Amino acid sequence: MTLSSAPEPVTGGLRRLTSTLYTYAFCDEFVLLYPVYALLFSDTGLSVWQTSSLFALWSLTGVLLEVPSGVWADAVSRRLLLWLGPLLTAAGFALWVLVPSYPAFALGFVLWGAGGALGSGALEALVHDELDRLGAAGRYAAVMGRARAAGLVATMAAMGAAGPVFDRGGYLAVGAASVLVCLLAAGVATRFPEHREPSARGGGRAGGLRAGLAEARADRSVRGALLLVPAVTAVWGALDEYAPLLVRDTGVAAGTVPWLLLVIWAGATAGGLLAGPAERLGTAGFAALLTGAALALATGALLGTPAGLVLVGVAFGGFQLATVLADARLQGRIDGTGRATLTSVAGLGSELATFAVYAAYAALATSAGHATAFAWAAVPYAVAAVLLAASGRRSGAGRGGARNESPDSAARTQ
């Protein structure tokens, strides 16, 4: 089926898929608890150590459930996982505000981590397969880029709305609004179209994982795409947690910090929106994108001024764009039925690499400050760019211009 052969059904199906996706992405991030949950923990009497242990528990939950949830998504319905995830998150948020205590916070983070893991891999796989069914797989990067932009807009809107809601009703009001938006996200997820049949592989979920990994072992391009995802996402995915500290170190007043954070996240939003036009970037172009973003990050951080944060925003935009394109490359190279499984394997790689980034950042920032730590964070991207450029040259010389690949894949590598 192609867009030209059946324009009405395809147009209608594409409209339903994208409108549902963008609404789901917005609801998933429009959580008013985000800007204030650390304050809730502190006001409940938790120590910094206890708060840090909650973050560690949250991350550990995601790591342990990332791949199993992807295998499950291939074995059953991906749409099922997408509406079940927000329900678990809603239950966790409700616990936080109804019975605020360390055990409730811990259980809430486990539920939140489980909810996030259920959607990771399942969402990308569902969207790609539905686009492919409509003959529009080539739009995947543009569609997912807009979805990520919708999520970032929701995050910024939540930052703006949290203050007034908190002033009127405190943590209970902010928590109630967060629970309601999670329930709304679950309702929106039921509208996702899904035309695939659950995987009928033998061996159960373990068999699904083995089949997915076998595809990665057999195809070098799949292995490369799997490694590219964490290489692109892990560092800047960790840096966003420290961005407020970088902003504060420029010497601005505390009340100005949120506004300058909006500048950085506006850059990331723009990066997501550019994914469509940039989808045809080849390996050399991708390497150039990482190089430019790395230079912008290091320069902007070392300037140590509010104006330098504009460059940090440019860098975040470049990294967001690279993240979407890396995911699109991975989806374009997966041929088997284990799409959600392999996407979750890439997500696990990102989670583990992020742990390493947290440790390295703590050491650097403690000894040299946040600006220096941000500047050093540009180094892995520069290294990745060099390796990508070298890989592209070797690949081009090896295939001699003749490679047996699908038109969509060929378009991305030219």
Side-chain angles (χ1 to χ4, degrees):
M1 183 181 292
T2 63
L3 289 170
S4 58
S5 62
E8 290 305 319
V10 169
T11 300
L14 189 60
R15 185 181 299 115
R16 176 187 173 188
L17 174 64
T18 55
S19 62
T20 303
L21 173 64
Y22 302 153
T23 306
Y24 182 81
F26 186 92
C27 292
D28 193 47
E29 296 294 339
F30 188 65
V31 177
L32 271 62
L33 269 172
Y34 284 173
V36 300
Y37 66 72
L39 301 179
L40 171 62
F41 301 159
S42 178
D43 290 347
T44 304
L46 268 63
S47 66
V48 174
W49 182 91
Q50 287 176 310
T51 299
S52 298
S53 70
L54 290 174
F55 291 151
L57 179 62
W58 184 25
S59 298
L60 180 62
T61 301
V63 167
L64 293 178
L65 296 181
E66 181 75 39
V67 174
S69 68
V71 176
W72 190 23
D74 284 329
V76 295
S77 165
R78 292 162 181 167
R79 181 171 55 197
L80 168 66
L81 271 63
L82 291 176
W83 67 255
L84 180 58
L87 294 181
L88 295 179
T89 302
F93 290 160
L95 277 173
W96 286 3
V97 295
L98 292 177
V99 284
S101 60
Y102 184 85
F105 296 148
L107 180 56
F109 267 121
V110 170
L111 290 170
W112 189 5
L118 290 180
S120 177
L123 180 66
E124 294 86 349
L126 184 147
V127 172
H128 186 278
D129 282 355
E130 288 300 313
L131 287 173
D132 191 37
R133 185 185 69 85
L134 295 169
R139 299 190 185 188
Y140 177 82
V143 168
M144 291 304 292
R146 293 182 192 125
R148 289 179 179 271
L152 287 172
V153 169
T155 298
M156 293 186 287
M159 289 179 182
V165 173
F166 182 82
D167 289 339
R168 286 182 175 272
Y171 292 118
L172 187 61
V174 172
S178 301
V179 169
L180 286 175
V181 80
C182 288
L183 296 178
L184 180 59
V188 170
T190 64
R191 295 194 68 255
F192 272 115
E194 186 175 24
H195 293 85
R196 65 180 282 275
E197 292 295 326
S199 173
R201 297 188 196 97
R205 279 174 284 182
L209 178 58
R210 285 194 296 269
L213 295 178
E215 181 179 355
R217 286 195 299 269
D219 190 331
R220 178 185 296 179
S221 68
V222 175
R223 291 199 304 275
L226 276 174
L227 293 172
L228 182 61
V229 171
V232 167
T233 60
V235 176
W236 86 281
L239 288 182
D240 69 350
E241 303 290 346
Y242 302 102
L245 302 175
L246 177 71
V247 173
R248 187 178 63 184
D249 279 2
T250 63
V252 299
T256 308
V257 171
W259 297 106
L260 290 177
L261 284 175
L262 289 179
V263 172
I264 295 176
W265 290 116
T269 303
L273 294 174
L274 289 172
E279 187 174 8
R280 290 181 176 272
L281 276 179
T283 301
F286 201 109
L289 170 65
L290 291 181
T291 300
L295 287 173
L297 177 65
T299 303
L302 291 176
L303 283 175
T305 64
L309 297 175
V310 175
L311 284 176
V312 176
V314 170
F316 272 42
F319 297 142
Q320 177 71 282
L321 175 56
T323 297
V324 177
L325 295 181
D327 174 46
R329 284 172 176 243
L330 175 60
Q331 301 303 328
R333 285 159 171 75
I334 299 174
D335 293 326
T337 57
R339 183 174 302 280
T341 300
L342 285 175
T343 304
S344 291
V345 169
L348 175 61
S350 297
E351 292 279 359
L352 294 175
T354 299
F355 280 140
V357 175
Y358 284 145
Y361 187 96
L364 284 168
T366 300
S367 61
H370 295 289
T372 301
F374 264 71
W376 272 104
V379 173
Y381 288 107
V383 173
V386 171
L387 294 176
L388 266 178
S391 173
R393 286 193 295 269
R394 288 196 302 269
S395 178
R399 67 174 180 261
R403 180 180 176 184
N404 182 22
E405 52 189 355
S406 68
D408 285 341
S409 179
R412 281 191 293 274
T413 56
Q414 287 173 353

